[in-house]
Amino acid sequence: TAPARDRLRIAIQKSGRLAEPARSLLTACGLSWRQSRDKLFCYGESLPVDLLLVRDDDIPGLIADGVCDFGIVGRNELDEQGAARRRIGLPDAYQALRGLNFGQCRLMLAVPDEWDWQGVQQLAGKRIATSYPAILADWLAERGVDAQVVELSGSVEIAPRLGTADLICDLVSSGATLAANQLKPVETLLESEAVLAGPVKTPDDARAGLMAMLLRRLDGVVNVQD
Ligand code: PRT
Ligand code: ZN
């Protein structure tokens, strides 16, 4: 278990879609920071709550390892890493505590425009490119579909045109990227948004009170925005 701490650490995305809204939300909760020179660590001034600015992919692991107490991350990323842990027999190490009302998108299956989509049974024997292999594998297994999952870390949308996959499973918001690549969405695997993630077990030191207070403030701020 990680050592006791008397300051809270929250991991947020350093840059990218969730970086600015995550910071604004925490500012609205009354937090402020003294910017450090390298800007990877922001020391909390109004409260003993520090920020760690990281890649979104690192946020679930930082919570699992007890390096950070909270994180703001897409449900898609949290679920993927949770599903990947479960597949190798690791216990759950984090959970989504609150939906935050921004970063909405869907994890969807998308097929070439010319396909006549008739349902999941059509996926048998097909190759599906995705950056979400664990969520996709679970989804396919639940439906008893035997398809091949091709893991790609980026540029998933061009895989069908390159011939490396027959279809894709990727995040969609406006749908413009799919359309530009002659793909159409056919199934939704996950409705995602940014979430506040936290540990499965609350630490039993000074952080517990800070965590409870922050959750209360967050509920006030997120509900007022509705
Ligand atoms: O550098 P780092 O690893 O931290 O960032 P990243 O590049 O992995 O993530 P980033 O900043 O792109 O996204 C962070 C989170 O934003 C995601 O994990 C989702 O939870 C959320 N989000 C919301 C999205 C989108 N909307 C989205 N549209 N993430 C990605 N996209 C992609 C989509 O896949 C498509 O390729 O954006 C493109 C445009 O989408 P359309 O449908 O509007 O064309
Ligand atoms: Zn990332």
Side-chain angles (χ1 to χ4, degrees), residues 4-226:
R5 276 191 275 116
D6 54 9
R7 299 182 64 85
L8 206 64
R9 273 189 213 143
I10 307 179
I12 66 170
Q13 208 186 10
K14 178 171 164 48
S15 58
R17 286 187 165 79
L18 308 180
E20 178 43 42
R23 240 188 138 91
S24 306
L25 178 61
L26 295 175
T27 301
C29 290
L31 302 184
S32 66
W33 307 273
R34 185 165 68 220
Q35 193 74 261
S36 79
R37 238 173 148 54
D38 60 8
K39 286 189 169 180
L40 296 177
F41 185 84
C42 304
Y43 187 84
E45 292 199 309
S46 53
L47 283 167
V49 180
D50 307 324
L51 285 190
L52 219 59
L53 308 186
V54 298
R55 294 279 313 267
D56 66 344
D57 318 58
D58 293 335
I59 294 176
L62 287 167
I63 298 170
D65 294 343
V67 174
C68 288
D69 308 297
F70 281 149
I72 294 180
V73 63
R75 190 181 295 279
N76 49 293
E77 192 62 47
L78 198 71
D79 281 10
E80 172 63 23
Q81 294 197 29
R85 284 179 67 97
R86 246 168 277 130
R87 293 183 80 82
I88 57 170
L90 289 174
D92 289 344
Y94 34 76
Q95 56 182 326
L97 298 170
R98 298 292 192 275
L100 299 178
N101 257 329
F102 63 87
Q104 285 89 353
C105 56
R106 290 181 168 152
L107 183 64
M108 301 192 79
L109 281 189
V111 302
D113 280 336
E114 63 272 16
W115 279 32
D116 173 22
W117 181 250
Q118 294 175 342
V120 292
Q121 69 283 352
Q122 220 172 329
L123 298 173
K126 295 287 193 284
R127 297 162 305 158
I128 312 176
T130 190
S131 304
Y132 297 88
I135 294 177
L136 176 59
D138 284 354
W139 189 87
L140 291 169
E142 275 166 29
R143 285 157 185 78
V145 176
D146 192 16
Q148 190 190 331
V149 176
V150 179
E151 183 175 357
L152 295 180
S153 55
S155 307
V156 170
E157 295 97 341
I158 58 167
R161 267 191 296 153
L162 295 178
T164 48
D166 302 300
L167 67 150
I168 70 167
C169 167
D170 199 8
L171 298 178
V172 181
S173 49
S174 70
T177 304
L178 290 185
N181 288 283
Q182 292 103 53
L183 297 168
K184 60 180 179 188
V186 293
E187 296 278 342
T188 299
L189 283 74
L190 176 72
E191 301 270 0
S192 187
E193 64 175 334
V195 298
L196 181 81
V200 173
K201 192 183 159 298
T202 304
D204 55 5
D205 56 31
R207 288 173 289 172
L210 285 168
M211 290 169 91
M213 183 191 67
L214 201 63
L215 281 172
R216 270 196 313 274
R217 291 191 182 187
L218 206 64
D219 287 340
V221 171
V222 172
N223 292 335
V224 167
Q225 284 171 349
D226 280 341

